[in-house]
């Protein structure tokens, strides 16, 4: 709805969502209560799609560039932290916990912000952003209650952002061009997903390497203590 069609349901809590069975294991999601509803400006929708593509791949230059377009300036560096839980210079894989070093750096950075900074950031955001932030928060809560891994939401956003970015071109294309565009879009998403999985594997490899190193160090210390104990007993 948000990325492709440009509509935001501003209050998608569980009480406003029905699951309607359609038989043979199929179902429809039915949204209720359209009191907080927003139709996004077409340019904002496209820029929001671009932002999510940049957030997933952590394209720093693009994030900062879009931050200028959204009017938040220097505060654009907090977009990755707000939406994906990573810092703009993070080495953590998408959807994983950030390192202790990053947490310390975030805490120091946020402690340096005053109420004027927070007010300035919120006032600078386009009105469309405020509705999206509320919706995103509710979606995170629902997924958390369902026990879904963090990367599930992020990959879904990435896929919709890529398809949403190409939506206007698809509508303006002929039948043959639409098929070609669909293939190119699918390849683009697949490429992004491969990069994400490679980054995740690299982080896991580094974690295993550090754990193995710590385990080896512990074993050597234990052996050294035992050898020293035997030596003292013999003396």
């Amino acid at each position: 709805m948000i990325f492709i069609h440009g509509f935001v349901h501003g209050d998608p809590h569980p009480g406003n969502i029905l699951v309607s069975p359609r038989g043979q294991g199929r179902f429809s999601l039915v949204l209720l209560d359209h009191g907080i509803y927003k139709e996004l400006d077409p340019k904002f929708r496209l820029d929001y799609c671009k932002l999510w593509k940049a957030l997933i791949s952590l394209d720093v230059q693009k994030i900062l560039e879009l931050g200028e377009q959204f009017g938040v300036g220097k505060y654009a560096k907090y977009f990755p932290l707000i939406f994906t839980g990573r810092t703009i210079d993070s080495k953590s894989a998408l959807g994983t916990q950030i390192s202790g070093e990053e947490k310390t750096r975030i805490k120091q950075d946020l402690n340096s912000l005053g109420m004027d900074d927070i007010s300035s950031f919120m006032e600078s955001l386009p009105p469309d952003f405020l509705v999206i932030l509320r919706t995103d928060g509710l979606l995170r809560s629902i997924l958390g209650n369902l026990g879904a891994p963090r990367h599930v939401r992020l990959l879904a956003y990435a896929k919709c952002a890529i398809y949403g970015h190409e939506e206007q071109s698809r509508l303006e294309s002929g039948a043959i061009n639409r098929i070609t565009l669909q293939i190119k879009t699918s390849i683009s998403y697949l490429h992004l997903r491969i990069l994400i999985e490679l980054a995740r594997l690299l982080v896991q490899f580094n974690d295993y390497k550090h754990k193995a190193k710590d385990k080896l160090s512990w074993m050597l210390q234990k052996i050294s203590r035992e050898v020293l104990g035997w030596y003292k007993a013999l003396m």
Side-chain angles (χ1 to χ4, degrees):
M1 289 175 63
I2 294 174
F3 292 98
I4 297 175
H5 303 293
F7 289 99
V8 186
H9 189 302
D11 201 22
H13 61 75
N16 283 339
I17 301 173
L18 293 180
V19 180
S20 177
R22 297 176 59 185
Q24 298 180 340
R26 302 177 65 193
F27 63 90
S28 295
L29 290 178
V30 182
L31 295 177
L32 308 177
D33 188 358
H34 302 277
I36 305 177
Y37 224 87
K38 179 75 175 177
E39 183 175 1
L40 300 177
D41 174 79
K43 184 180 183 307
F44 176 89
R45 183 188 68 80
L46 283 174
D47 286 342
Y48 189 64
C49 288
K50 293 176 185 177
L51 176 63
W52 265 97
K53 287 176 67 177
L55 289 171
I56 297 298
S57 59
L58 212 55
D59 184 341
V60 175
Q61 189 59 41
K62 192 65 177 178
I63 292 171
L64 297 178
E65 176 187 320
L66 289 165
E68 292 293 334
Q69 293 186 37
F70 287 132
V72 299
K74 64 180 182 179
Y75 301 111
K77 70 176 184 178
Y78 296 112
F79 277 152
L81 185 61
I82 292 170
F83 287 111
T84 68
R86 295 189 295 176
T87 59
I88 199 164
D89 55 353
S90 178
K91 304 301 180 187
S92 301
L94 187 70
T96 60
Q97 294 294 328
I98 59 177
S99 66
E101 181 183 343
E102 286 179 308
K103 288 181 180 178
T104 301
R105 192 163 62 249
I106 291 170
K107 186 176 181 180
Q108 292 172 344
D109 197 11
L110 294 180
N111 283 340
S112 67
L113 296 177
M115 286 303 299
D116 289 343
D117 292 297
I118 298 172
S119 298
S120 178
F121 173 68
M122 295 302 294
E123 290 170 2
S124 299
L125 286 172
D128 289 347
F129 235 124
L130 299 177
V131 181
I132 284 177
L133 285 173
R134 173 183 169 82
T135 298
D136 181 62
L138 286 168
L139 291 176
R140 290 191 202 201
S141 176
I142 292 172
L143 288 169
N145 289 335
L146 292 173
R150 290 175 60 196
H151 72 273
V152 168
R153 175 182 69 93
L154 299 176
L155 285 175
Y157 280 26
K159 184 175 183 177
C160 290
I162 290 171
Y163 279 78
H165 184 254
E166 304 298 339
E167 176 65 10
Q168 191 62 35
S169 299
R170 186 185 69 79
L171 293 174
E172 296 171 354
S173 302
I176 300 299
N177 287 336
R178 278 200 295 270
I179 294 173
T180 303
L181 188 61
Q182 178 79 9
I183 294 172
K184 287 174 62 178
T185 303
S186 298
I187 291 173
S188 179
Y189 171 67
L190 181 61
H191 176 253
L192 186 62
R193 181 152 189 174
I194 289 172
L195 290 177
I196 291 169
E197 293 303 326
L198 286 175
R200 190 192 309 280
L201 288 173
L202 182 60
V203 169
Q204 288 177 348
F205 173 76
N206 286 332
D207 286 344
Y208 291 145
K209 185 171 67 174
H210 289 309
K211 288 177 180 178
K213 183 179 178 181
D214 291 342
K215 182 71 173 179
L216 181 60
S217 176
W218 175 81
M219 289 176 62
L220 289 174
Q221 290 177 8
K222 182 180 179 182
I223 292 171
S224 297
R225 287 194 297 268
E226 290 177 352
V227 170
L228 183 60
W230 293 338
Y231 177 76
K232 288 182 177 178
L234 292 173
M235 294 298 290

